[in-house]
Amino acid sequence: MADLSNVAAPPSTSPMSAADELELTRMYRERYPDLVAEAKDALGSELEHYSGKIAQQGVLDAWPHRAEYSVPGAFDGALHDAIRAAAAVQRQKHAALHQRGGARVPHLAPLSTDDAVAQLVAHLHHAPIDHEAAVRASREVSKHHAAEHVQHVARTRSWKGPAIGVVVLAIAIVGGSTLLSGAGEEIAVKKAIAAEDARTLSAARGQRGNVDLADGTKARIGSDSRLRMPRAFGTTMRTAEVEGTVSFTVAAGQPLPFTILAGNAIVTATGTHFTVRAYPEEQTVVVGVEEGSVSVRVKDGGDATDVAAGQAVRITPDGAVTVLDAVGRDVALAWVRDSLVFTDTPARVVLDELARWFSLSATFADSTLGARPVTMRLGLESSGSATAAFAKAAGLTIGFDKQDKVVLSAAPQR
């Protein structure tokens, strides 16, 4: 089999690659609690409710300059300075706009980590802004601050209305962020895989290949198949996309989960041996596990299904997940054991598989012959032996046309 390890990746033309974006969101997720704590310290107790905003602003200010810091820990210092600077600006704004003193109205706590990451992703993707809502929110916030600072002068004026408006606005924002939190990283991953600097490993018809991936995972690529990986695979992400069929022996001991996108399925493993089959024309995805276990879920919804060693499942276009019996598993994934298996399979389907795995050019002398059921197991070593075994199982004879293309005809009745 071919060694597919030396495949060059095209140069990147993106000013900020999807991999960089994913690295930013991962870093922000990991460090958000510490960044908020530092922002609170810089703001002081009176303005600590701005700590989430300042944490995000500090990251956005420091991140574009990260390449300038070659000394370990230098970026941390720059991030520290950016948060302090953003906090100083916030204190100046507050001092300029408001008089000190008066009873303090409780403020909303900073966003949770998931909601903060979702808000950051929305900012990076320039989510559309409802300007009318923003104006209304600004007016409500102004009322809220006015109430906060004049309560000691006019006790009869209630602060509840503006405060409730702020709470409602916050609930709307957090609700929208929650919807984004599950999709933010997935969007970044898809963008990275589709980017021009992504790497594609492929095996043509009649070929198979072995390759060691950047994280130490071993991949066996089946015939007529492609494995596409983002530039940052093995560093800030371990997600790849399969079209066709690929078998993985996943490297263990990695901090990031190993994830495969295939058709409408997302397969996640933490250290195992599994195989994915997702040829577009078949419109289904099959996942089989040899060792360990994987979690399979359907894109855009649905609960995860755990698949243990010795099991296989089929995912249909409508998202249904079905556990395959031993025969169905063997038919779909026998190629990993260097064989093909068919059970009452129409001859035309068998011929298509032979064309895929042996780059065989063949046709039926009569199209009705393609409906004949075929049950057989054959090895992947020889196209000639495979064609002869197929002809015998289907009751066919082998001939050739003027271009030496194989022509399969009905065998004479005995």
Side-chain angles (χ1 to χ4, degrees):
M1 289 181 289
D3 180 359
L4 304 179
S5 59
N6 298 317
V7 179
S12 173
T13 59
S14 173
M16 179 177 180
S17 70
D20 290 336
E21 180 180 316
L22 185 60
E23 183 181 354
L24 169 59
T25 57
R26 287 192 189 282
M27 182 275 288
Y28 192 54
R29 179 181 294 280
E30 292 172 359
R31 302 179 62 172
Y32 179 71
D34 293 336
L35 296 175
V36 168
E38 183 171 1
K40 283 183 179 180
D41 181 63
L43 287 164
S45 60
E46 185 179 5
L47 299 178
E48 65 178 17
H49 51 284
Y50 288 110
S51 56
K53 169 188 172 183
I54 297 304
Q56 177 177 298
Q57 188 60 51
V59 167
L60 292 173
D61 289 344
W63 185 257
H65 306 288
R66 68 194 182 285
E68 301 170 11
Y69 310 112
S70 57
V71 178
F75 176 71
D76 290 344
L79 184 56
H80 169 85
D81 292 342
I83 288 178
R84 293 285 167 177
V89 170
Q90 187 62 51
R91 291 197 306 270
Q92 292 170 1
K93 288 181 179 179
H94 188 80
L97 293 174
H98 304 287
Q99 295 291 328
R100 300 291 182 178
R104 183 173 181 271
V105 175
H107 293 281
L108 295 171
L111 296 176
S112 68
T113 299
D114 283 344
D115 292 332
V117 171
Q119 190 177 82
L120 177 68
V121 170
H123 175 86
L124 294 175
H125 287 273
H126 304 290
I129 299 173
D130 186 339
H131 293 283
E132 292 184 1
V135 170
R136 291 194 299 270
S138 177
R139 289 171 179 167
E140 291 298 327
V141 170
S142 296
K143 293 177 184 178
H144 167 72
H145 283 293
E148 176 183 355
H149 293 293
V150 301
Q151 277 183 356
H152 66 292
V153 177
R155 294 289 180 180
T156 58
R157 182 175 178 181
S158 174
W159 53 268
K160 292 182 179 180
I164 291 173
V166 173
V167 171
V168 171
L169 174 64
I171 291 173
I173 293 173
V174 171
S177 298
T178 301
L179 292 176
L180 286 171
S181 62
E185 290 189 16
E186 188 172 316
I187 291 172
V189 168
K190 289 179 179 179
K191 183 179 175 184
I193 291 175
E196 292 185 6
D197 61 356
R199 183 185 187 196
T200 299
L201 304 176
S202 62
R205 288 197 162 212
Q207 296 181 345
R208 288 171 286 159
N210 295 325
V211 61
D212 291 337
L213 306 185
D215 67 338
T217 294
K218 297 184 181 297
R220 188 181 184 193
I221 303 178
S223 181
D224 192 23
S225 300
R226 282 152 291 285
L227 175 64
R228 188 166 176 85
M229 298 170 292
R231 179 173 61 87
F233 182 91
T235 56
T236 58
M237 64 180 76
R238 294 177 77 207
T239 301
E241 184 177 59
V242 167
E243 182 179 303
T245 184
V246 182
S247 184
F248 300 95
T249 301
V250 182
Q254 301 288 328
L256 298 174
F258 184 88
T259 303
I260 293 298
L261 309 180
N264 64 333
I266 300 174
V267 185
T268 302
T270 54
T272 187
H273 181 188
F274 70 99
T275 303
V276 175
R277 178 178 178 124
Y279 287 104
E281 63 272 19
E282 294 179 356
Q283 298 185 328
T284 60
V285 179
V286 175
V287 180
V289 180
E290 297 288 338
E291 298 176 6
S293 64
V294 302
S295 174
V296 178
R297 68 181 179 87
V298 178
K299 295 178 182 177
D300 303 322
D303 297 328
T305 299
D306 293 329
V307 186
Q311 293 183 325
V313 295
R314 174 179 285 113
I315 303 96
T316 56
D318 62 0
V321 180
T322 305
V323 177
L324 298 179
D325 59 19
V327 174
R329 182 181 188 280
D330 210 21
V331 169
L333 304 174
W335 75 269
V336 299
R337 293 178 292 280
D338 298 316
S339 62
L340 297 179
V341 176
F342 305 97
T343 302
D344 288 330
T345 305
R348 61 177 174 274
V349 176
V350 177
L351 188 58
D352 287 342
E353 281 291 274
L354 296 185
R356 168 176 288 143
W357 290 94
F358 296 102
S359 191
L360 176 68
S361 179
T363 187
F364 294 109
D366 182 345
S367 61
T368 61
L369 299 175
R372 292 189 176 190
V374 176
T375 298
M376 62 181 295
R377 178 186 292 271
L378 53 86
L380 290 174
E381 297 81 11
S382 166
S383 62
S385 298
T387 305
F390 168 53
K392 181 178 180 180
L396 303 170
T397 59
I398 300 174
F400 301 89
D401 62 15
K402 294 180 180 179
Q403 286 75 40
D404 289 330
K405 182 178 182 179
V406 173
V407 178
L408 299 164
S409 305
Q413 297 289 334
R414 294 184 178 179

